[in-house]
Amino acid sequence: MADIENPITLRLMTEDDLPMLHAWLNRPHIVEWWGGEEERPSLSDVQEHYLPRVLAEEGVTPYIAMLDVEPIGYAQSYIALGSGDGWWEDETDPGVRGIDQSLANADQLNKGIGTMLVRALTDILFSDAAVTKIQTDPAPENHRAIRCYEKAGFKQHSKIITPDGPAVYMVQTRNTYESAQSCVTGR
Ligand SMILES: CC(C)(COP(=O)(O)OP(=O)(O)OC[C@H]1O[C@@H](n2cnc3c(N)ncnc32)[C@H](O)[C@@H]1OP(=O)(O)O)[C@@H](O)C(=O)NCCC(=O)NCCS
């Protein structure tokens, strides 16, 4: 159900969403920040790599963001510990989750929708008491994504090198999340 202050909801992605996701992942505004031209996926790539069952084996949960009844974006969360392939090798905390997301439609960028999406996703993740911290790793040149994460409560922690290249490591701890919530609710 939509939060009264946040019209964005997230539902779990299903296999039936994969053709739609394939179309989205080939849109220029997403290709620019999601793998680049050389990673532009075919439908069979998407069916192979984004099948929810396959993602689950990698600790990844995929979501479709909804604005009322309209699917407007893709998001995923992952368990950082044990990601493999050179990702988050120093992580020892099983409670750390990571997030990534992209809005489907270029004409919906820069309208605050991404910030609401990230807030909806952090609400879902922190509703699990086992989650201690949420991280994300935008490219240093992706100023729009960095600003969006900051508005959603993330802080820039450090510059890092990931298997995908340089990134800004951004975090939101449970403490900062709960402090912000209590400021809003007055509790
Ligand atoms: C990243 C993304 C999810 C953010 O969602 P969004 O709805 O566009 O972002 P918001 O409107 O909530 O916030 C964007 C902020 O960045 C600011 N911004 C935009 N371009 C900017 C730039 N070049 N430099 C600095 N700030 C910029 C906007 O002004 C806004 O801040 P403000 O509200 O303080 O003015 C969305 O833009 C997207 O899907 N982009 C394409 C794919 C992508 O980059 N995915 C993320 C990979 S980490």
Side-chain angles (χ1 to χ4, degrees), residues 29 101-103 110-112 114-115 142-144 147 151:
H29 74 282
Q101 64 288 307
S102 282
L103 297 182
N110 276 324
K111 294 182 174 170
T115 302
N142 196 346
H143 302 291
R144 185 176 54 210
R147 177 73 191 125
K151 289 196 296 173

Side-chain angles (χ1 to χ4, degrees), residues 46-125:
V46 172
Q47 284 167 332
E48 184 182 344
H49 297 296
Y50 286 86
L51 196 62
R53 173 167 47 76
V54 171
L55 290 175
E57 285 165 12
E58 299 164 1
V60 178
T61 305
Y63 304 88
I64 297 295
M66 306 290 294
L67 179 58
D68 297 322
V69 293
E70 182 196 2
I72 52 103
Y74 174 74
Q76 60 186 24
S77 65
Y78 57 87
I79 300 169
L81 182 65
S83 290
D85 296 330
W87 286 93
W88 318 119
E89 289 188 321
D90 296 334
E91 188 55 71
T92 54
D93 179 352
V96 177
R97 300 291 178 271
I99 60 170
D100 306 290
Q101 64 288 307
S102 282
L103 297 182
N105 304 309
D107 63 3
Q108 289 180 323
L109 304 180
N110 276 324
K111 294 182 174 170
I113 295 174
T115 302
M116 292 190 288
L117 190 168
V118 173
R119 286 194 181 128
L121 187 51
T122 53
D123 285 346
I124 290 173
L125 294 174

Side-chain angles (χ1 to χ4, degrees), residues 30-42:
I30 297 186
V31 169
E32 183 182 4
W33 299 111
W34 200 277
E37 281 298 333
E38 63 283 6
E39 299 287 330
R40 199 179 258 277
S42 66

Side-chain angles (χ1 to χ4, degrees), residues 111-185:
K111 294 182 174 170
I113 295 174
T115 302
M116 292 190 288
L117 190 168
V118 173
R119 286 194 181 128
L121 187 51
T122 53
D123 285 346
I124 290 173
L125 294 174
F126 278 129
S127 70
D128 176 353
V131 172
T132 56
K133 184 172 89 172
I134 303 175
Q135 66 179 31
T136 189
D137 60 335
E141 318 79 58
N142 196 346
H143 302 291
R144 185 176 54 210
I146 291 169
R147 177 73 191 125
C148 164
Y149 288 125
E150 285 176 336
K151 289 196 296 173
F154 285 75
K155 301 242 179 305
Q156 297 190 38
H157 179 277
S158 50
K159 299 274 164 55
I160 58 169
I161 303 295
T162 75
D164 281 349
V168 180
Y169 184 64
M170 301 185 72
V171 297
Q172 184 167 178
T173 63
R174 176 174 287 282
N175 278 348
T176 52
Y177 171 78
E178 289 180 350
S179 301
Q181 295 293 107
S182 59
C183 286
V184 172
T185 61

